[in-house]
Amino acid sequence: MSIETLVQQANQASTPFNKASFDQVVMSTYGRFPIALEKGDGCLLWDTEGKQYLDFVAGIATCTLGHAHPALIEAVTQQIQKIHHISNLYYIPEQGELARWLVDNSCADRVFFCNSGAEANEAAIKLARKYAHTVLDIDKPIILTANASFHGRTLATITATGQPKYQTNFYPLVPGFDYVPYNDIDAVEAAIGELDEGDYGVAAILLEPLQGEGGVRPGDIKYFQKLRSICDETGILLIFDEVQVGMGRSGKLWGYEYLGVEPDIFTSAKGLGGGIPIGAMMAKKFCDIFEPGEHASTFGGNPFACAVALAVCHTLEKDNIIQNVHYRGQQLRSGLQAIAAKYGDRIAEVRGWGLINGMELQPDIELTAIDLVKAAMNEGLLLVPAGTKVVRFVPPLIVTEAQINRALEIIEQVIATI
Ligand SMILES: *Cc1c(COP(=O)(O)O)cnc(C)c1O
C-alpha cells in the first residue's frame, strides 16, 4: 500500500469516541477536558465531533512544528522504512548527527539521550552525584532546587520539584535535595553556608531559566549571573532544566541565552522531537565523567527519535522559526498586555519570553486559570493553566500573525464575558 493511500485512510477514519469505555480502562491520573482530539494540521486541531480548535497548548510546549508538518511526515516515513530501533549496543549514525547539531548549537560538548524530561533530569542528577563523589569529594551531596519549580514525575524528580502538591502521597522521597526561593541570591548563599557541614555539601544547583509549570516566571539576569560566579568560585555545578523553555520556545534556541550565563549541565525534551518522545542531557566536557555501564536507556537516542529530532532542528534553522517566535511572541505579549490594561480588575500581570507566556489573574477574585481555559475551549481556543492563577500560552512555534490575532480576539471576548 502506498504512503498516499495510508495518509488518505488515516484522514477518513472517524472513530466514534466512547468516554465511559476509556475511563473504565485508563488510570485516572489526569484531570482531562471532555473532548477527544483526532486530527491536526499546523496550529489547528479537530475533535471527534468535528469541532475545530486553535491550538495554543502544542501538546504542552512540545509540538514545535505544529501538527502534520511536512518535515515531520517526511522524517517519520523515511526513517521507519530504513531502521527504527537497534539499542545502544551498536553505533547509531542518526544519534551522532543529532548530538553534533546540539553541540554545534549550544554550550555543551557531550550529549546523553533518553525519552523524556524527567529522565533527562534523572541523568543530570546522577551525573551531579557522581561528580560530587569523585571530583568534589562530598560524601552526602545535596542538590539545591527552587520553590515552585517543576522537574518531572519520577521519584527523584518530584523530590527535585519544589512543590509539595506533587510529593504529598509519595513519601519517603529521595534524599539529597533542598529548596530555595527562585530569583533570591541571598537565600542561595545562606543555604550553601548552612548545608556545607560534616559529610554534607552542596554539589549542584538545578534551576529552570524560566519557571514554566510553576507559573511562567522568567529568571532574573542579575541573579543568574551571580549564581554563575558563586558556582565558579565553589565548584558547585550549575544545572539548567531547559525541558520546556529550550529548543527555540523562548525566542532564542536556549533559555540560558537570555541570562547571559552558560550552565555546566542542561536538559532538553518537550520541543526537541516536535512531539516524538526524546530527551537529552547535555554537559560541558569537564563533567563528562560517566563510564560505560553507569547510565543507560533502552530506547534512548534510537534512530527513529533522533531522525525526527534532527528534522525539527533543521527546520528551525531553514525556516527561521526562532525569528518567528521572537516576533509572534512580541505580538502576543503586547496584545495580552493591552487586554490586561483594559481588564485590570481580572488580570494582574502578563509575562514571558518568546512563545512561552503567562497571564496571571488577580489573586483576590474567584476566577481561576481553569475557568478561563474552559471558557476559551468552548470558543475554540486551547490553553493550559500553569498553577491555579496563571493561564499559559505555548502555541506551536510556527504560529502565524493571523492566528495570534484570532487567539487574542477569543481571549478578550472570554475575559469580557466570564
Ligand atoms: C515537562 C517538564 C519536565 C518533565 O518532562 P516529562 O517529559 O513530562 O518527563 C521537566 N522539567 C520541566 C521544566 C518541564 O516543563
Side-chain angles (χ1 to χ4, degrees):
M1 205 179 295
S2 75
I3 290 167
E4 286 74 20
T5 319
L6 286 168
V7 169
Q8 250 173 21
Q9 281 185 354
N11 283 334
Q12 278 163 6
S14 184
T15 31
F17 181 73
N18 185 335
K19 182 175 174 300
S21 160
F22 182 102
D23 287 338
Q24 241 171 33
V25 289
V26 178
M27 280 197 191
S28 52
T29 51
Y30 304 97
R32 296 176 202 273
F33 296 107
I35 59 169
L37 297 167
E38 68 167 5
K39 200 163 86 95
D41 186 13
C43 298
L44 298 176
L45 284 168
W46 286 266
D47 69 15
T48 46
E49 319 266 275
K51 181 174 170 179
Q52 188 190 87
Y53 301 87
L54 189 51
D55 181 15
F56 270 49
V57 176
I60 315 186
T62 293
C63 301
T64 323
L65 305 180
H67 305 277
H69 191 286
L72 282 187
I73 295 174
E74 192 188 322
V76 166
T77 45
Q78 284 196 357
Q79 193 62 43
I80 202 77
Q81 293 176 85
K82 204 170 150 198
I83 190 167
H84 71 293
H85 180 81
I86 49 172
S87 89
N88 286 290
L89 291 168
Y90 316 100
Y91 279 90
I92 299 171
E94 294 81 1
Q95 188 181 123
E97 263 188 81
L98 178 59
R100 177 64 61 192
W101 191 91
L102 290 168
V103 164
D104 285 348
N105 288 280
S106 77
C107 65
D109 302 306
R110 298 284 189 275
V111 188
F112 170 83
F113 289 106
C114 50
N115 313 287
S116 68
E119 262 186 274
N121 288 332
E122 286 270 350
I125 291 164
K126 278 179 72 176
L127 186 57
R129 283 194 173 182
K130 180 170 184 194
Y131 189 85
H133 290 298
T134 60
V135 181
L136 299 177
D137 202 20
I138 300 173
D139 252 2
K140 293 179 172 164
I142 292 165
I143 297 175
L144 279 181
T145 68
N147 296 339
S149 57
F150 186 83
H151 299 295
R153 300 299 201 120
T154 61
L155 266 179
T157 58
I158 60 166
T159 310
T161 294
Q163 299 192 58
K165 72 172 177 188
Y166 292 117
Q167 305 170 337
T168 306
N169 285 325
F170 305 108
Y171 282 82
L173 299 178
V174 173
F177 290 89
D178 212 330
Y179 313 93
V180 286
Y182 191 60
N183 281 341
D184 181 342
I185 201 70
D186 296 339
V188 174
E189 282 180 325
I192 293 171
E194 278 166 32
L195 294 168
D196 271 331
E197 218 184 273
D199 291 343
Y200 290 92
V202 175
I205 303 171
L206 164 63
L207 295 168
E208 295 157 88
L210 169 152
Q211 290 191 324
E213 215 82 17
V216 190
R217 242 168 276 281
D220 177 68
I221 293 177
K222 278 204 191 99
Y223 168 74
F224 274 89
Q225 294 189 340
K226 189 78 212 294
L227 265 186
R228 182 65 270 176
S229 57
I230 291 172
C231 289
D232 288 340
E233 282 159 25
T234 54
I236 293 172
L237 293 171
L238 188 57
I239 309 176
F240 286 172
D241 179 341
E242 294 254 6
V243 168
Q244 188 158 170
V245 78
M247 280 304 287
R249 180 151 297 278
S250 71
K252 299 184 188 285
L253 186 60
W254 305 109
Y256 68 75
E257 294 171 46
Y258 264 91
L259 303 170
V261 296
E262 290 183 353
D264 302 312
I265 299 172
F266 68 102
T267 55
S268 175
K270 288 194 167 83
L272 181 55
I276 300 300
I278 183 167
M281 187 269 289
M282 295 167 264
K284 296 253 172 117
K285 198 173 168 191
F286 77 91
C287 31
D288 173 28
I289 55 168
F290 276 151
E291 279 162 39
E294 283 190 321
H295 196 51
S297 163
T298 300
F299 287 124
N302 82 16
F304 182 76
C306 288
V308 177
L310 257 176
V312 171
C313 296
H314 290 155
T315 308
L316 282 188
E317 264 183 324
K318 185 171 67 68
D319 294 352
N320 264 327
I321 288 176
I322 296 183
Q323 199 176 28
N324 188 60
V325 176
H326 177 72
Y327 288 116
R328 298 289 71 82
Q330 280 186 339
Q331 181 196 352
L332 177 61
R333 253 184 326 283
S334 64
L336 289 175
Q337 268 149 3
I339 296 171
K342 205 159 151 191
Y343 300 94
D345 55 328
R346 281 156 220 197
I347 303 167
E349 195 185 29
V350 171
R351 55 179 182 254
W353 292 340
L355 286 173
I356 177 161
N357 293 285
M359 191 172 75
E360 180 154 19
L361 302 172
Q362 288 292 3
D364 47 2
I365 58 171
E366 252 180 59
L367 188 67
T368 62
I370 203 95
D371 298 333
L372 220 139
V373 167
K374 282 180 182 162
M377 190 163 71
N378 281 337
E379 300 306 315
L381 172 66
L382 298 183
L383 296 169
V384 58
T388 52
K389 281 286 185 175
V390 179
V391 180
R392 188 168 18 163
F393 297 77
V394 281
L397 306 187
I398 55 162
V399 68
T400 64
E401 187 174 359
Q403 287 167 333
I404 297 269
N405 283 333
R406 179 73 193 121
L408 286 167
E409 262 171 41
I410 297 175
I411 199 79
E412 170 151 16
Q413 181 202 333
V414 163
I415 288 170
T417 52
I418 203 166

